Amino acid sequence: MTRGAAVVALGARIGSRLERSSYAVRWLVLGISIGVVAGLGAVVFFEMLELAGRLLLEGLGGYEPPQAGRDGDTGHPDGFSRPWAIPLVVAGGALASAVLVARFAPEAEGHGTDAAIEAVHSGPRSIRMRAVGVKMVASALTIGSGGSAGREGPAAQISAGFGSLFTRWLNLTDDDGRIAVAIGIGSGIGAIFGAPLGGAVLSGAILYRNDFEYRTLVPGLISSVTAYSVFGAFEGYDPLFGFVADDYRFESPTQLIWFAVIGLLAGGVGILYSRFFYGTVSVFARFPGNRIVKPAVGGLLVGLLALAMPEILGSGYGWVQEAMSAETLASMPLWIVLALPFAKILATSLSIGSGGAGGIFGPGMVIGAFVGAALWRLLEPFAPGVPEAPAAFVIVAMMACFGAIARVPIAVMLMVAEMTGGYTLLPGGMVAVGIAYLLVLRSGDSIYRAQREDWEAASVERSGSRPLD
């Protein structure tokens, strides 16, 4: 027997034993296993992002953006030392990423989360490990060179890929395979954002527009906390944005009025984000040129836009942390604060909508954060009940904008609370997210096109396979 055949036979024996075991034993083993590899994958991807950023945007481009450090130190960017290099670096990173994707794994194109959701619904065995490796490198090149994208989409596709690998190797049933891929999505995102509870809830919420897959919740809790523990052992356990939520206390019901306003604005901007992003995808699909040229053109346009507004470069998490401080937010020109949500929508649409590799979750939260920052800047001088620091508005708007347009309001509320170190903002967040979600629900939009309407619709679609029951 060859070594490959022996590995396959071993997987079949382990899988057969797991299928005969109790539910608790099966998902304890699978949940921990998926969590370990998802956590390690998130560590590797995170370090690749850090390295690419130092080599490309900082080294070649001469620009050091603020960082949302786990110690709370964001740094202080000094502007461009080589402004002429910025468009070239962003375009070059997008070009290198596109060449890699086109040559080795075309399915790694785009933001990745939709591909992982689609695998849950239509083929839990379908994610190739080659696509996982290509997604890591391609996304690191895109984001590290300054492309406007997030790290959660690649993390979701990477960890979902390991869930798919386990499904094939252990010959799991389609039902168990769908759960394995789904908890891979949640644990990968939860690990890289330091939000294990939100990641676990996300694994069941992100599959549908108007439903929740409760069968993923318990396995997701096991997988997500395991991935978070592994990732934190290498990168630390402090919240992504520090313990900024602890500085806020809910003291007056009148504050709920402003949180309701945040919900209306964030919901509207979220709808704009989704429609503009997919409109850009359609425009680039009609443009002449192949899948290598188009991302390079998108990167070049982002680099040119960044000469006027460098805040759009990269993930943008450092600028979110800057906006949580009254002093640093007040030092930013008002027009930048007001324009940044729309500029970030444009930059993300150009970076990813053109065919680049990277996530749209993170930019969605940056967009929402600056909706809150802009409202605080406008209201703070005269409006009653506005908090002294902008962090409350920034955090709640993050929750409302992306939680609504991704159709995962509870999961994103939990994730943002974990990323900011506290739950004191949940009363305001509940109002804002609820209003934003109702607005998005009325519009019918979602940022994730692979989501099914509900469990019943997904089951009917899988007419030839046994649905989750």
Side-chain angles (χ1 to χ4, degrees):
M1 180 182 293
T2 65
R3 181 175 299 178
V7 171
V8 171
L10 175 62
R13 288 198 300 272
I14 296 173
S16 177
R17 173 166 290 189
L18 286 174
E19 287 298 327
R20 294 195 305 270
S21 65
S22 67
Y23 176 89
V25 171
R26 180 164 70 253
W27 285 109
L28 189 63
V29 172
L30 288 173
I32 292 174
S33 300
I34 292 171
V36 168
V37 293
L40 291 174
V43 170
V44 173
F45 181 52
F46 183 83
E47 291 299 328
M48 289 176 66
L49 283 176
E50 295 287 296
L51 177 61
R54 288 194 297 269
L55 293 177
L56 299 176
L57 191 58
E58 297 178 21
L60 297 179
Y63 175 64
E64 184 178 356
Q67 301 294 321
R70 293 187 176 275
D71 58 359
D73 180 14
T74 63
H76 301 283
D78 298 321
F80 298 128
S81 61
R82 290 186 292 277
W84 57 267
I86 294 299
L88 299 177
V89 170
V90 182
L95 177 63
S97 173
V99 169
L100 185 66
V101 168
R103 174 66 179 84
F104 296 104
E107 66 268 37
E109 179 181 287
H111 60 83
T113 308
D114 261 339
I117 296 171
E118 185 62 39
V120 174
H121 291 302
S122 60
R125 304 166 186 267
S126 64
I127 303 177
R128 296 191 299 166
M129 290 311 296
R130 174 187 290 189
V132 170
V134 170
K135 190 70 175 182
M136 277 189 180
V137 180
S139 299
L141 287 170
T142 299
I143 302 170
S145 62
S148 178
R151 58 200 188 201
E152 85 302 323
Q157 195 168 11
I158 290 163
S159 51
F162 286 116
S164 185
L165 174 65
F166 278 121
T167 301
R168 292 193 301 272
W169 183 54
L170 300 175
N171 195 27
L172 300 179
T173 65
D174 285 348
D175 288 1
D176 285 345
R178 281 191 278 271
I179 295 175
V181 175
I183 66 175
I185 296 172
S187 57
I189 294 177
I192 207 158
F193 277 134
L197 179 56
V201 175
L202 187 74
S203 66
I206 202 169
L207 305 179
Y208 308 110
R209 292 188 175 201
N210 299 307
D211 212 339
F212 183 85
E213 183 48 75
Y214 71 89
R215 293 162 186 81
T216 69
L217 187 56
V218 172
L221 290 170
I222 297 168
S223 173
S224 191
V225 75
T226 302
Y228 169 73
S229 299
V230 171
F231 183 82
F234 291 89
E235 306 295 344
Y237 294 102
D238 285 345
L240 177 61
F241 297 113
F243 293 90
V244 292
D246 284 346
D247 296 332
Y248 171 82
R249 294 291 182 272
F250 181 76
E251 297 175 343
S252 171
T254 59
Q255 292 181 347
L256 297 180
I257 297 173
W258 301 123
F259 289 126
V261 174
I262 289 174
L264 288 170
L265 293 175
V269 171
I271 293 169
L272 175 65
Y273 178 33
S274 177
R275 294 183 179 181
F276 192 88
F277 177 80
Y278 286 107
T280 304
V281 171
S282 298
V283 169
F284 271 99
R286 294 193 296 269
F287 271 9
N290 57 31
R291 61 173 53 189
I292 294 175
V293 173
K294 293 176 184 179
V297 172
L300 179 62
L301 294 175
V302 170
L304 293 172
L305 178 61
L307 296 179
M309 194 175 293
E311 293 85 357
I312 65 168
L313 291 171
S315 67
Y317 304 138
W319 288 110
V320 172
Q321 192 159 350
E322 294 276 308
M324 292 182 187
S325 165
E327 182 179 355
T328 53
L329 181 59
S331 68
M332 297 175 66
L334 180 59
W335 76 269
I336 290 284
V337 178
L338 295 176
L340 190 52
F342 309 102
K344 192 68 176 174
I345 290 174
L346 174 59
T348 305
S349 299
L350 290 171
S351 293
I352 310 305
S354 62
I360 54 176
F361 187 122
M365 292 206 293
V366 175
I367 291 161
F370 274 89
V371 169
L375 184 64
W376 185 87
R377 277 286 298 268
L378 293 174
L379 293 178
E380 191 273 335
F382 66 89
V386 174
E388 293 182 1
F393 275 32
V394 170
I395 295 168
V396 168
M398 273 198 293
M399 295 178 180
C401 183
F402 201 78
I405 197 57
R407 301 293 190 97
V408 287
I410 304 300
V412 169
M413 284 178 62
L414 293 172
M415 289 183 69
V416 173
E418 291 175 289
M419 290 159 62
T420 54
Y423 292 86
T424 58
L425 281 164
L426 283 185
M430 291 164 66
V431 171
V433 172
I435 290 174
Y437 183 75
L438 290 175
L439 193 63
V440 170
L441 194 65
R442 183 177 177 83
S443 76
D445 290 276
S446 174
I447 199 70
Y448 294 127
R449 292 285 176 91
Q451 287 175 328
R452 289 354 185 220
E453 194 66 25
D454 52 29
W455 179 88
E456 183 177 1
S459 298
V460 169
E461 182 182 311
R462 295 192 297 265
S463 57
S465 61
R466 181 165 57 92
L468 286 169
D469 55 16

